[in-house]
Amino acid sequence: MSPYVHSLTYGDGTLRVETLDLFARSRRTELALGDVDGGASDSMHPLSTFRDRRDGRVYYVDKEYFHHKELLDVLDPEKNEEGGAGEGWSD
């Protein structure tokens, strides 16, 4: 329900996203990095950071509290303040 990401980790080629559902229960989703569509600004949630290509669900990462800038570049290359597109980042 809520696109706000409470926890985001990446390892072994899998992105693990934790959000809350309508009843404030934890919802965990695992995505392959290839399933991520970065910069999902054309959705109903213009502040969204990325979208799951499989089901269209959008996610919002608060950039003030997310310190893995290289991963953020990959998830949202269009909105990156430094203008990078994730170059130099690898699994």
Side-chain angles (χ1 to χ4, degrees):
M1 293 311 224
S2 171
Y4 187 84
V5 174
H6 289 271
S7 174
L8 178 68
T9 57
Y10 179 76
D12 299 326
T14 303
L15 191 64
R16 292 167 189 85
V17 183
E18 185 175 325
T19 58
L20 296 178
D21 70 6
L22 183 63
F23 299 106
R25 295 176 298 203
S26 179
R27 176 182 174 161
R28 293 185 184 107
T29 306
E30 291 189 0
L31 304 165
L33 203 53
D35 292 333
V36 171
D37 183 18
S41 60
D42 61 338
S43 72
M44 295 278 298
H45 299 277
L47 296 178
S48 62
T49 307
F50 64 96
R51 174 190 353 234
D52 181 352
R53 288 183 183 159
R54 301 172 304 173
D55 63 8
R57 185 178 162 121
V58 295
Y59 297 92
Y60 169 75
V61 176
D62 190 340
K63 295 172 187 164
E64 294 292 322
Y65 298 102
F66 188 70
H67 302 291
H68 194 314
K69 298 301 180 190
E70 292 86 8
L71 182 55
L72 190 58
D73 288 349
V74 172
L75 296 176
D76 193 11
E78 296 173 5
K79 296 178 186 173
N80 179 18
E81 293 173 339
E82 276 92 51
E87 295 179 28
W89 186 80
S90 63
D91 297 352

